[in-house]
Amino acid sequence: MTEDAPGQQVDVAVLGAGMVGISAGLAARQRGLSVIVVDRREPGSETSYGNAGILSSGSIFPLNTPALWKNLPKYLTNQHPALRWNIPWAIANAGWMMRFLASTAPSQTKPRAVALRGLIGMSLQLHRDWIVQAGAGSRIRETGWLKAWRGDGLANARAEQAALAEYGIKSEVLDRQAISALEPNIIPAYSVGLLHTQTASVDSPGAVVKDYARMLAGGGGVIRQSQIRQIASQGNGWRVQLADGEIAARHVVVALGPWSAELLRPLGYRVPLAFERGYHQHFAPNPARKLLRPIHDADGSFVMTPMEQGIRVTCGVELAARDAPSNFSQLDTVVPLARSVIEFGDAVGERWRGARPTLPDSLPMIGPAPRHRGLWLAFGNQHIGFTTGPGTGAAIAAMIAGSAPPFDTQAFAPSRYIA
């Protein structure tokens, strides 16, 4: 990666080198703007590293739909693998929880799904272009991903298929025999499956972010590793103060994921950001019984996916403070369930924990800050940030250049939460 000299002036300073930040920098550079991306760590080393690597066409429904109310009683037990919540955090953030539940109104579901459909559609198009341009085409698998039920899930699979079809997203309902034909190396644990045929996956999300970052640097962009102290308006632009210097920029893009809100607080913005904490662990695969694509176990509320590092098992969501001590109970619960589906060996490497930034309506902020010219917000992509990063970045770059975004961004306007 290239280093910049302290005090250098650029058109766009992007703060955050996850999928969203690197995408914003890449899209801005492709429009001819000078770009520097800054993060305390190497690209793709934080939130964008720890996910199932799915480029999901079907993740158009927000977490808080009317269906949440049906599942809420079992979630309140705080024992369900899909959701755990830290009680002190929940008490301290009761206001956020109420706003999140208020967004489950049926009238709010379709507009948000339409908005996410536009964002995801553009993102998948860019992913498929960029990963080839970055020389990393071997990392992408066009094999779809499978959601599967152990028990009688046929009604659920058909209902989900119909819901996706309403937005033009294709899928196939599979019986036990069809699942075995699709994944011949797994144990026949599932009776029903829904194959998302227009979805792809990658073998290392963190590596893909690094591949995009190398493409950005190769095209004249700058990647700088430094702690970001604060941002301040300066004349017609911005000054970004770092641990080892400062940067002057005409535009600043805040794409720091779960760290975005605290950077904006000194400017008077109070962002209602919460954190979907997630965990994963890699396991040594059995070369003779390969997993061919990501599988979402609907009953166990986990995903297992073949990665460069091994079989990655990811668990459900934990609502807690961003930096609270790790609680691996969800992961410990689902690993035996994963072993009942695919044979794998011992754990490889350390267990991972990360925090995915989530706003009460489950939509990201994509657009200008309400009171500061040249300040752009690109965060809150919750658990689909790896999928939606390129579209988010492309929209921000278009706005900076004074052009119309490539999809309708009205639903993502930061002004819906901050003034």
Side-chain angles (χ1 to χ4, degrees), residues 17 28-29 37 43 129 172 175 183 197 203 239 279 289 317 362 404 410-411:
R29 185 70 197 118
V37 178
D129 290 344
E172 297 177 8
D175 60 16
E183 286 283 352
T197 56
D203 67 357
R239 184 177 71 257
Y279 300 83
R289 300 186 67 83
V317 169
S362 294
Q410 185 176 353

Side-chain angles (χ1 to χ4, degrees), residues 110-124:
K110 186 167 186 177
R112 288 182 293 162
V114 169
L116 286 172
R117 178 71 167 116
L119 171 58
I120 289 172
M122 174 52 57
S123 295
L124 296 187

Side-chain angles (χ1 to χ4, degrees), residues 202-220:
V202 303
D203 67 357
S204 177
V208 170
V209 178
K210 287 178 170 59
D211 291 331
Y212 291 176
R214 278 190 285 271
M215 182 165 64
L216 169 60

Side-chain angles (χ1 to χ4, degrees), residues 39-55:
D39 201 312
R40 64 178 182 176
R41 299 188 64 186
E42 291 185 355
S45 298
E46 293 279 8
T47 310
S48 294
Y49 173 82
N51 59 80
I54 299 168
L55 306 178

Side-chain angles (χ1 to χ4, degrees), residues 86-102 274 360:
N86 178 274
I87 294 175
W89 179 90
I91 293 172
N93 292 273
W96 186 93
M97 300 276 284
M98 294 302 294
R99 295 171 83 172
F100 182 82
L101 291 173

